[in-house]
Amino acid sequence: MVSRPHGGRLVERLASGRARERLLKEAGEMPRVDLSEGLAADVANVAHGVYSPLEGFLTEEDFRSVLENMRLSNDLPWTIPIVLDVGEEFKRDVREGDEVALFYKDRPIAILYVEEIYSWNKEEYAKKIFKTTDPGHPGVKKTYQRKDFLVGGPLIQIEELPEPFERYRLWPKETRVLFKERGWKRIAAFQTRNVPHRGHEYVQKAALTFTDGLFINPLVGWKKPGDFKDEVIIKAYEALIKHYYPKESVAFSVLRMEMRYAGPREAVHHAIVRKNFGATHFIVGRDHAGVGSYYGPYEAWDIFKEFPDLGITPLFVREAFYCKKCGGMVNEKICPHPEEYRIRISGTKLRKMITEGIKPPEYMMRPEVAEVVLSYEDPFVH
Amino acid sequence: MEWSEIRVPKTLYSRLSEVAKAMGFEDPNTLAIHLLREALAALEEELAAEGISEDERKEIIERLKGLGYL
Ligand SMILES: [Zn+2]
């Protein structure tokens, strides 16, 4: 059975027909908020139910509850606050009950019904969400750069965001139908922002072995310098799926959502999002959504104990490596051999090889995948 | 966090206490919250609505076919 949406109902906040035309016209007259790429993606994700049960940006009661209890004020698990920050002038000019237009790249994309404008303590936020107040942490740094007030309330989308990878953009409504049509009952979702190496393939296939379908769902947009470009990741997966996966058991689509690097909290967030897409299982990596050494290696696994009511089953699959003695990809749980037989696949090592134009060995990366990656003059984000 | 009270039979409370202790839960209350959330989520699952009309489903299937997903 495809997972029920978080909170029981898939949210849809899309204006259509006459209502949409009216709102588009009125948007020009409303106070205006310009959105970053990340916030625009949040708007689209709310509107299409990726963030069900959220219908907009968090109001203060929910915000406090997410910070303190990792739950919305209705007790539903929710770990990452979806918030819109605004400045002094907004607070001065806009009243609770007003409608404001949310703009992205000079076009109105949504209307926000202002329920509340409230202040927030960024340091407290950083401590709760990122477990550190160190501005060297990319999420903390970004938090400190945000404006001083938050505005909460429901929104309605009036314009779809441009998507360069339109062919691979599926919303929860679509994946739910897709999974059902394919007859999948147990669906394992895989979150990624990397080109696939043999370790990823191993983990995905381990999950697929005892489920009906594998849902590969990379995040696109806003990468750190040094990360692979979105297009490279997509093309690399196309090659991997074409040559090494049973096509009828895999679904591949992209999700435009910002990485927060909030480690354990973000791992739960990623799981909830995939639950809304209809997945029943979610593969949680070691140090999932971590950065630097801010989180312990298994913190992203331990946190799931606090959510017996999550509604999606986390799969904790151990890191895979190649064992010369076993003669294949294995993990610590199934390989008894000492370290000298084991070849670990490190992302750093792979990156270095690719930068130097060297084709990684087959036990690290499938040759068809390596060829795709190497065909790019510059596969990295700068 | 704000709190409300729930009454349970004393016998059930002792059972909760024993299991909480054996399983390393902080106290019987914490275990009760854990169990309630787990059980409620299962019940809520049954109450959830599908929310996709037949026409919409057909439309989505067409798009998925066009994209090569089906
Ligand atoms: Zn071995």
Side-chain angles (χ1 to χ4, degrees):
Chain A
M1 190 70 175
V2 172
S3 253
R4 292 295 186 190
H6 202 48
R9 190 180 62 83
L10 197 64
V11 167
E12 193 172 64
R13 306 285 301 170
L14 305 166
S16 61
R18 285 247 180 90
R20 176 175 170 270
E21 278 164 37
R22 184 176 54 81
L23 288 171
L24 269 170
K25 216 183 283 166
E26 288 173 8
E29 315 291 316
M30 294 177 190
R32 161 178 177 164
V33 178
D34 282 285
L35 303 178
S36 65
E37 217 174 333
L39 283 168
D42 280 343
V43 166
N45 287 338
V46 166
H48 287 278
V50 175
Y51 293 162
S52 299
L54 302 194
E55 299 195 334
F57 290 103
L58 295 187
T59 52
E60 190 168 14
E61 192 190 10
D62 278 326
F63 174 73
R64 303 258 22 131
S65 180
V66 169
L67 236 55
E68 300 293 335
N69 314 317
M70 299 198 283
R71 290 174 180 272
L72 295 167
S73 58
N74 66 3
D75 203 58
L76 211 59
W78 198 271
T79 48
I80 298 286
I82 303 300
V83 290
L84 174 58
D85 55 309
V86 289
E88 194 69 52
E89 68 291 354
F90 184 94
K91 173 140 173 78
R92 194 188 55 221
D93 300 341
V94 177
R95 293 278 144 272
E96 287 164 9
D98 284 355
E99 296 174 3
V100 300
L102 305 180
F103 274 68
Y104 177 58
K105 290 194 171 161
D106 245 5
R107 288 165 73 106
I109 61 158
I111 308 297
L112 176 72
Y113 302 91
V114 177
E115 215 170 287
E116 246 180 336
I117 305 168
Y118 55 100
S119 54
W120 60 314
N121 180 329
K122 294 176 194 173
E123 209 157 79
E124 182 201 10
Y125 181 98
K127 203 176 281 171
K128 296 271 190 206
I129 303 299
F130 302 108
K131 295 183 151 195
T132 174
T133 53
D134 176 6
H137 181 294
V140 174
K141 184 178 165 204
K142 214 162 183 184
T143 300
Y144 289 168
Q145 288 165 347
R146 298 185 80 172
K147 302 196 183 95
D148 291 338
F149 299 94
L150 299 177
V151 49
L155 62 82
I156 188 151
Q157 182 179 288
I158 50 178
E159 191 78 82
E160 200 66 71
L161 288 189
E163 175 54 68
F165 309 112
E166 182 61 36
R167 188 237 166 289
Y168 286 117
R169 170 160 67 181
L170 294 185
W171 296 112
K173 227 177 192 176
E174 294 166 321
T175 52
R176 292 173 161 275
V177 171
L178 172 63
F179 299 162
K180 229 181 196 168
E181 284 298 305
R182 285 193 175 177
W184 295 356
K185 292 197 164 60
R186 309 204 315 159
I187 301 122
F190 185 79
Q191 137 84 34
T192 185
R193 47 194 174 94
N194 231 321
V195 299
H197 58 55
R198 294 292 298 274
H200 299 128
E201 181 182 336
Y202 172 87
V203 167
Q204 292 170 8
K205 287 185 171 172
L208 182 54
T209 303
F210 60 89
T211 52
D212 308 310
L214 175 67
F215 175 45
I216 303 172
N217 193 214
L219 297 190
V220 291
W222 329 286
K223 300 284 175 55
K224 288 198 309 297
D227 282 357
F228 286 99
K229 288 176 184 162
D230 294 333
E231 192 191 330
V232 180
I233 297 171
I234 291 169
K235 296 283 176 209
Y237 263 106
E238 278 176 355
L240 183 68
I241 292 168
K242 183 174 168 209
H243 294 282
Y244 297 96
Y245 283 61
K247 201 170 175 276
E248 64 287 354
S249 312
V250 185
F252 176 85
S253 74
V254 299
L255 173 61
R256 206 154 273 276
M257 184 168 83
E258 195 163 20
M259 272 304 296
R260 272 109 174 154
Y261 302 102
R265 271 189 185 247
E266 196 164 10
V268 175
H269 181 66
H270 285 167
I272 292 172
V273 161
R274 274 41 177 247
K275 174 186 175 188
N276 282 328
F277 277 100
T280 54
H281 294 71
F282 179 68
I283 300 166
V284 189
R286 215 173 136 271
D287 195 26
H288 190 107
V291 62
S293 50
Y294 291 100
Y295 311 106
Y298 297 105
E299 260 186 84
W301 293 7
D302 288 340
I303 190 173
F304 282 87
K305 285 190 201 123
E306 297 184 42
F307 302 100
D309 49 347
L310 200 59
I312 180 165
T313 308
L315 296 176
F316 307 123
V317 187
R318 280 158 208 273
E319 204 182 356
F321 48 82
Y322 184 85
C323 171
K324 288 186 266 184
K325 192 96 176 174
C326 291
M329 295 299 296
V330 287
N331 66 41
E332 240 145 57
K333 217 170 157 189
I334 56 176
C335 161
H337 306 117
E339 202 55 43
E340 63 201 87
Y341 292 104
R342 298 174 173 183
I343 305 174
R344 310 226 169 227
I345 308 172
S346 111
T348 324
K349 219 193 287 176
L350 265 178
R351 199 153 307 182
K352 191 165 173 284
M353 291 176 122
I354 287 161
T355 310
E356 291 165 0
I358 300 167
K359 192 169 179 177
E362 199 162 346
Y363 62 79
M364 289 179 125
M365 187 176 269
R366 296 288 191 185
E368 294 85 348
V369 174
E371 272 158 34
V372 165
V373 178
L374 286 169
S375 73
Y376 284 84
E377 180 138 358
D378 181 9
F380 300 108
V381 176
H382 296 283
Chain B
M1 176 111 57
E2 286 183 73
W3 300 90
S4 296
E5 276 177 41
I6 264 185
R7 284 149 52 98
V8 295
K10 218 167 184 167
T11 47
L12 174 57
Y13 185 85
S14 338
R15 246 170 106 189
L16 266 172
S17 306
E18 268 175 47
V19 175
K21 202 182 223 173
M23 296 199 63
F25 281 86
E26 217 172 292
D27 51 36
N29 210 77
T30 312
L31 174 58
I33 291 170
H34 183 91
L35 293 175
L36 271 173
R37 280 179 168 150
E38 194 169 31
L40 281 171
L43 294 178
E44 284 162 352
E45 192 96 332
E46 288 175 30
L47 296 172
E50 185 45 86
I52 298 179
S53 70
E54 201 42 42
D55 284 350
E56 211 171 358
R57 209 176 65 87
K58 280 187 189 141
E59 229 171 82
I60 292 172
I61 289 174
E62 284 316 303
R63 172 161 199 255
L64 291 170
K65 280 183 178 160
L67 293 172
Y69 280 102
L70 285 173

